[in-house]
Amino acid sequence: DGDVDYLRVATTTWGQWGVVDDIWQQTETSESSVYVMKMTSFGNENEDDDGGAMEIVGSVNEIGLGERIYAVRFVGVRGYVVTFRQIDPFYTLNLSDPTAPEVVGELKIPGFSNYLHPISDELILGLGQDADENGSTNGLQISLFDVSDFAKPKQVRKYTEDNKASSAAQYDHRAFRYLPESKLLILPLSTPHWNWDIEGIDAFDGFVVYDVDESKDFKQKFNISHFDSGERTCWGEDTLPSRSLVFNGDVTTLKGHKVYSSDLDTGEVQWDINLDKGREEGDGAYCMTW
């Protein structure tokens, strides 16, 4: 991100492999770094003409050796980095001195976060995947990190969805919606299609509203299904991205070819639109009944 006169960038350098003494082996371990670069001021006659190049004035290296970055968030003079291979190191960084950024704290926990969202100066909401000790993912994970002691971050809340469930908000922050006053989190959620025929696994494709009040355990408030068994569905390039909007006490969710408006308190559906209704094949889409 950009912070006044500086640009801060987090990056991973991949591990390298090669032949050493006739043996194929790893020659360099992957590592992550945070660089701070001085921004160029264009049009300033008092500055030398450097062609717009930015100078690296500070860096911190060897973050998460053998792993790669999954999430980064810079907030003022603080930074947060998540790396992952089998476990999830959550790092806190002091960025107050652009010439000497430093790792201050580290927390090792199973799973990982793809997206980090500060909800206060001391609390960071994380969205990612739960995982076992071998790094195999189980399903969506919502975490809450307490960074009041910046050198000793703690995971104080955790909620998981099983059945390999995932959310588009892990990779697209525009699909993520947190309501600070009601402390509700609205996320798109889906289970893999290949699991839908397995007995005992509930198929789901839609949105979930979570109660993420930090004073108590996280839980589902209600869900909004955008999928109904036996319904005719079409696939094509013209599809709605996963988005949610909140106004007048209602939440409107958009996903695929459907739009729903639901009461944010009760979850009762107020109205819906199915863009596949009456649609026929041959207009750039493939349609079938589940």
Side-chain angles (χ1 to χ4, degrees):
D1 79 332
D3 178 45
V4 189
D5 296 324
Y6 299 94
L7 177 67
R8 303 178 294 199
V9 178
T11 182
T12 295
T13 301
W14 294 104
Q16 302 295 318
W17 292 75
V19 177
V20 178
D21 296 329
D22 297 325
I23 299 174
W24 178 260
Q25 57 186 287
Q26 188 170 8
T27 57
E28 294 182 22
T29 301
S30 64
E31 66 170 285
S32 297
S33 306
V34 171
Y35 296 95
V36 182
M37 293 178 283
K38 177 72 174 177
M39 301 278 279
T40 301
S41 299
F42 292 98
N44 190 336
E45 296 179 355
N46 295 323
E47 293 191 5
D48 296 333
D49 183 9
D50 58 3
M54 290 185 290
E55 176 189 2
I56 296 176
V57 297
S59 66
V60 55
N61 304 304
E62 297 186 350
I63 301 173
L65 291 175
E67 301 169 340
R68 71 174 180 88
I69 289 175
Y70 271 66
V72 177
R73 193 72 187 241
F74 298 121
V75 185
V77 297
R78 291 184 167 191
Y80 306 97
V81 176
V82 172
T83 61
F84 178 73
R85 185 174 181 182
Q86 288 183 313
I87 58 173
D88 166 12
F90 174 87
Y91 296 95
T92 57
L93 286 78
N94 181 357
L95 306 173
S96 58
D97 182 354
T99 65
E102 60 175 339
V103 173
V104 176
E106 177 183 353
L107 171 66
K108 292 186 177 182
I109 51 177
F112 59 85
S113 297
N114 296 102
Y115 179 67
L116 299 173
H117 186 87
I119 62 174
S120 73
D121 291 339
E122 299 181 346
L123 296 172
I124 305 294
L125 201 59
L127 181 66
Q129 287 282 308
D130 182 37
D132 62 23
E133 63 276 6
N134 297 315
S136 178
T137 57
N138 301 317
L140 185 73
Q141 172 178 274
I142 303 170
S143 302
L144 186 67
F145 300 100
D146 182 342
V147 294
S148 55
D149 184 344
F150 205 56
K152 297 179 180 179
K154 299 181 295 183
Q155 185 187 65
V156 292
R157 297 289 180 218
K158 176 181 175 181
Y159 181 90
T160 60
E161 298 279 3
D162 53 13
N163 299 336
K164 301 291 185 179
S166 63
S167 175
Q170 292 177 235
Y171 311 99
D172 181 359
H173 68 277
R174 293 168 296 182
F176 181 101
R177 186 164 301 281
Y178 172 72
L179 307 178
E181 292 187 4
S182 56
K183 297 184 179 180
L184 296 179
L185 177 63
I186 306 170
L187 298 175
L189 185 76
S190 61
T191 54
H193 291 185
W194 58 82
N195 280 350
W196 288 9
D197 293 331
I198 300 177
E199 185 177 354
I201 292 183
D202 295 327
F204 185 80
D205 188 20
F207 283 77
V208 178
V209 178
Y210 297 93
D211 182 347
V212 291
D213 186 335
E214 67 274 12
S215 66
K216 56 188 179 183
D217 290 341
F218 290 176
K219 64 179 181 180
Q220 278 198 19
K221 183 177 175 67
F222 62 87
N223 64 60
I224 306 163
S225 177
H226 282 234
F227 161 81
D228 292 310
S229 180
E231 186 176 52
R232 180 178 172 81
T233 304
C234 299
W235 287 266
E237 295 181 357
D238 48 345
T239 184
L240 296 170
S242 298
R243 299 288 186 267
S244 62
L245 307 169
V246 176
F247 49 90
N248 293 335
D250 293 334
V251 54
T252 300
T253 55
L254 305 85
K255 195 176 195 293
H257 295 168
K258 290 185 178 181
V259 182
Y260 283 86
S261 180
S262 308
D263 186 290
L264 191 55
D265 184 44
T266 66
E268 181 181 356
V269 175
Q270 307 296 310
W271 53 264
D272 67 279
I273 300 173
N274 184 350
L275 301 180
D276 288 335
K277 187 176 181 179
R279 192 177 186 185
E280 300 294 337
E281 288 193 50
D283 58 356
Y286 171 72
C287 302
M288 67 173 292
T289 300
W290 283 92

